[in-house]
Amino acid sequence: MKKVLILEDEENIRSFVVINLKRAGYEAIEAGTGMEALDKLRENPDIHVAILDIMLPDIDGFEVCRRIRANNKHMGIIMLTARTQEMDKITGLMTGADDYVTKPFSPAELTARIDALYRRIGGDTTVDPELLKQGPFVMNTRNHTLEKSGNRVRLTQVEYAILKLFMLNPGRALSREDILSSVWGREYEGELKIVDVNIRRLRIKIEDDTTNPTYITTVWGYGYKWGA
Ligand code: CA
């Protein structure tokens, strides 16, 4: 059974999530503190998606996210944010989270996000070419790695999925809606700025000069275009 870590110190919210994860066919691994969550992840290397609350009794959810990312680029990470804290979303994404869900959330919304992350990890590689080579970039779709001029570029799952979409559509302007529905799934109802935040991060990793991007160019009022 697919395992999902739920880190949340409020027991009623945690048990609400656990019940709904089980109903959706996932095994829930629970943690009430940041340190406990990191221990559980070490004990269960087969957990591929983690849901992280931000306000916790010990280290906060952003720090947990950073520590997970320090040695695991492929973990799907969803932050639980409070409605009033708009900045949490951006901070979460900048520390390496893939997605966020705002409290109060519906069980269907949360499981849709988890399903989308698991689908990306499972990634249907049978229909894709194994190696995508464009300009200085080589993407290996089997092991989800990217090299630029022979040097490995470490990408999160979301960044990888966006770049793969670009590399499969060279020279084509993709709208932010296209990117959102392709990468996050059609049922995703999040905001378009999540696309921009991820593009910004991706540019930092792959562009020669982020102030003058040449691989991912902006199509004003529409979206982005790939060329390498
Ligand atoms: Ca909390």
Side-chain angles (χ1 to χ4, degrees), residues 29-226:
I29 308 294
E30 299 178 57
T33 67
M35 295 312 288
E36 192 187 349
L38 294 168
D39 287 342
K40 292 275 169 75
L41 287 171
R42 266 191 296 275
E43 291 161 15
N44 297 275
D46 52 341
I47 295 175
H48 297 302
V49 171
I51 303 163
L52 310 178
D53 184 34
I54 294 168
M55 297 289 282
L56 296 162
D58 55 347
I59 53 174
D60 70 24
F62 298 130
E63 181 58 24
V64 176
C65 181
R66 258 183 230 109
R67 293 192 193 181
I68 294 172
R69 271 288 174 263
N71 48 33
N72 187 331
K73 302 295 168 193
H74 300 296
M75 178 76 67
I77 300 177
I78 301 172
M79 307 299 294
L80 292 182
T81 69
R83 182 193 288 280
T84 51
Q85 285 157 311
E86 186 67 16
M87 274 313 291
D88 285 355
K89 298 175 183 174
I90 303 302
T91 311
L93 293 170
M94 293 312 281
T95 55
D98 294 297
D99 206 345
Y100 55 80
V101 170
T102 306
K103 293 180 189 175
F105 50 86
S106 74
E109 185 186 5
L110 184 65
T111 51
R113 307 290 175 88
I114 297 167
D115 291 346
L117 281 175
Y118 257 107
R119 262 201 310 278
R120 274 211 299 281
I121 297 161
D124 183 6
T125 54
T126 53
V127 296
D128 296 325
E130 191 169 333
L131 287 181
L132 291 168
K133 295 181 187 175
Q134 286 164 25
F137 298 98
V138 179
M139 174 177 278
N140 185 318
T141 61
R142 195 166 298 269
N143 54 22
H144 290 204
T145 56
L146 179 78
E147 286 184 357
K148 181 186 178 189
S149 308
N151 298 312
R152 176 79 178 270
V153 181
R154 298 193 176 278
L155 301 176
T156 66
Q157 278 185 62
V158 164
E159 291 160 358
Y160 170 83
I162 293 172
L163 194 59
K164 184 174 155 192
L165 179 68
F166 279 136
M167 292 183 77
L168 291 171
N169 294 280
R172 187 179 145 204
L174 298 173
S175 71
R176 292 147 89 226
E177 289 84 356
D178 289 339
I179 298 169
L180 193 74
S181 70
S182 169
V183 173
W184 279 267
R186 271 180 215 293
E187 64 277 67
Y188 185 85
E189 287 173 25
E191 297 150 65
L192 285 170
K193 70 168 175 276
I194 194 175
V195 174
D196 302 319
V197 171
N198 275 281
I199 295 286
R200 195 160 70 212
R201 250 181 8 199
L202 201 44
R203 279 174 167 162
I204 291 169
K205 295 186 180 181
I206 66 165
E207 293 286 349
D208 302 325
D209 174 6
T210 50
T211 60
N212 182 27
T214 54
Y215 299 117
I216 302 173
T217 49
T218 301
V219 181
W220 292 107
Y222 187 72
Y224 299 95
K225 190 168 78 174
W226 171 256

